[in-house]
Amino acid sequence: MYRIAVVLIVASHLAFVGYVVVGGFLAVRWPRTLWLHGAATFWAVLIVFAHLDCPLTWLERRARDAAGMVPLPPDGFIAHYLAGVLYPPAWTTAVEVAVLVTVLGSWALC
Protein backbone atom coordinates (compact mmCIF):
# COMPACT_ATOMS: atom_id res chain seq x y z
CA MET A 1 0.00 0.00 0.00
CA TYR A 2 2.74 2.46 0.94
CA ARG A 3 4.68 1.61 -2.21
CA ILE A 4 1.66 2.75 -4.23
CA ALA A 5 1.64 5.96 -2.18
CA VAL A 6 5.31 6.54 -3.04
CA VAL A 7 4.59 6.11 -6.75
CA LEU A 8 1.64 8.50 -6.59
CA ILE A 9 3.68 11.06 -4.65
CA VAL A 10 6.52 10.88 -7.17
CA ALA A 11 4.00 11.29 -10.01
CA SER A 12 2.51 14.30 -8.20
CA HIS A 13 5.97 15.80 -7.78
CA LEU A 14 6.71 15.36 -11.48
CA ALA A 15 3.35 16.90 -12.38
CA PHE A 16 4.09 19.88 -10.13
CA VAL A 17 7.53 20.43 -11.67
CA GLY A 18 6.05 20.10 -15.16
CA TYR A 19 3.29 22.56 -14.32
CA VAL A 20 5.79 25.11 -13.03
CA VAL A 21 7.67 24.88 -16.32
CA VAL A 22 4.74 24.96 -18.76
CA GLY A 23 1.82 26.27 -16.71
CA GLY A 24 2.36 29.83 -17.90
CA PHE A 25 1.81 28.69 -21.47
CA LEU A 26 -1.43 27.04 -20.38
CA ALA A 27 -2.42 30.40 -18.90
CA VAL A 28 -2.01 31.99 -22.33
CA ARG A 29 -4.90 29.79 -23.46
CA TRP A 30 -6.80 29.89 -20.14
CA PRO A 31 -5.95 33.24 -18.48
CA ARG A 32 -7.89 32.45 -15.31
CA THR A 33 -5.25 29.86 -14.44
CA LEU A 34 -2.45 32.43 -14.25
CA TRP A 35 -2.95 32.95 -10.51
CA LEU A 36 -2.56 29.20 -9.94
CA HIS A 37 0.65 29.15 -11.95
CA GLY A 38 1.89 32.18 -10.02
CA ALA A 39 1.26 30.41 -6.71
CA ALA A 40 2.98 27.23 -7.91
CA THR A 41 5.96 29.21 -9.18
CA PHE A 42 6.20 31.16 -5.92
CA TRP A 43 6.22 27.90 -3.97
CA ALA A 44 8.90 26.45 -6.30
CA VAL A 45 11.06 29.55 -5.79
CA LEU A 46 10.76 29.15 -2.02
CA ILE A 47 11.74 25.49 -2.29
CA VAL A 48 14.78 26.20 -4.47
CA PHE A 49 16.08 29.42 -2.94
CA ALA A 50 14.85 29.29 0.67
CA HIS A 51 15.48 25.53 0.83
CA LEU A 52 12.02 24.76 2.15
CA ASP A 53 11.01 21.14 2.20
CA CYS A 54 8.01 20.44 -0.03
CA PRO A 55 5.12 18.70 1.74
CA LEU A 56 5.25 16.03 -0.96
CA THR A 57 8.85 15.31 0.00
CA TRP A 58 7.79 14.89 3.61
CA LEU A 59 4.99 12.53 2.55
CA GLU A 60 7.35 10.54 0.36
CA ARG A 61 9.83 10.16 3.21
CA ARG A 62 7.04 8.86 5.50
CA ALA A 63 5.65 6.49 2.86
CA ARG A 64 9.11 5.12 2.03
CA ASP A 65 9.79 4.53 5.72
CA ALA A 66 6.44 2.78 6.22
CA ALA A 67 7.04 0.64 3.10
CA GLY A 68 10.52 -0.36 4.25
CA MET A 69 12.08 1.26 1.17
CA VAL A 70 15.45 2.95 0.93
CA PRO A 71 15.08 6.48 2.35
CA LEU A 72 14.98 9.49 0.06
CA PRO A 73 18.38 11.22 0.20
CA PRO A 74 18.57 14.41 2.27
CA ASP A 75 18.92 16.54 -0.89
CA GLY A 76 15.29 15.79 -1.77
CA PHE A 77 13.24 15.09 -4.84
CA ILE A 78 15.01 17.11 -7.53
CA ALA A 79 18.47 15.91 -6.54
CA HIS A 80 17.26 12.30 -6.47
CA TYR A 81 14.93 12.04 -9.46
CA LEU A 82 15.91 14.83 -11.85
CA ALA A 83 19.55 15.91 -11.39
CA GLY A 84 21.73 13.11 -12.66
CA VAL A 85 18.79 11.46 -14.42
CA LEU A 86 17.43 14.10 -16.81
CA TYR A 87 20.50 16.32 -16.73
CA PRO A 88 23.98 16.25 -15.16
CA PRO A 89 24.06 17.57 -11.58
CA ALA A 90 26.57 20.23 -12.65
CA TRP A 91 23.84 21.75 -14.84
CA THR A 92 21.47 22.43 -11.92
CA THR A 93 22.00 26.20 -11.91
CA ALA A 94 21.65 26.40 -15.70
CA VAL A 95 18.43 24.36 -15.55
CA GLU A 96 17.03 26.62 -12.81
CA VAL A 97 17.84 29.70 -14.92
CA ALA A 98 16.27 28.09 -18.02
CA VAL A 99 13.11 27.31 -16.05
CA LEU A 100 12.98 30.88 -14.74
CA VAL A 101 13.42 32.31 -18.25
CA THR A 102 10.71 29.96 -19.56
CA VAL A 103 8.29 31.00 -16.80
CA LEU A 104 8.98 34.71 -17.29
CA GLY A 105 8.64 34.30 -21.06
CA SER A 106 5.28 32.58 -20.68
CA TRP A 107 4.09 35.33 -18.34
CA ALA A 108 5.17 37.95 -20.88
CA LEU A 109 2.92 36.23 -23.43
CA CYS A 110 0.00 36.47 -21.02
Side-chain angles (χ1 to χ4, degrees):
M1 181 69 164
Y2 288 106
R3 288 181 184 267
I4 293 170
V6 170
V7 170
L8 292 174
I9 293 165
V10 169
S12 297
H13 251 133
L14 290 171
F16 175 78
V17 170
Y19 182 69
V20 167
V21 176
V22 301
F25 294 108
L26 295 174
V28 170
R29 173 70 173 97
W30 297 286
R32 286 193 261 174
T33 65
L34 186 60
W35 70 270
L36 181 61
H37 186 253
T41 302
F42 178 70
W43 183 249
V45 167
L46 287 177
I47 290 169
V48 171
F49 295 108
H51 305 288
L52 293 181
D53 214 13
C54 177
L56 290 173
T57 302
W58 178 84
L59 281 174
E60 184 179 349
R61 289 185 198 287
R62 296 289 180 172
R64 282 175 165 274
D65 185 48
M69 296 173 69
V70 175
L72 188 66
D75 292 341
F77 177 82
I78 290 176
H80 183 68
Y81 291 105
L82 301 180
V85 177
L86 294 180
Y87 56 87
W91 291 11
T92 299
T93 302
V95 168
E96 290 170 354
V97 169
V99 168
L100 180 63
V101 167
T102 302
V103 168
L104 293 176
S106 68
W107 286 356
L109 290 174
C110 289

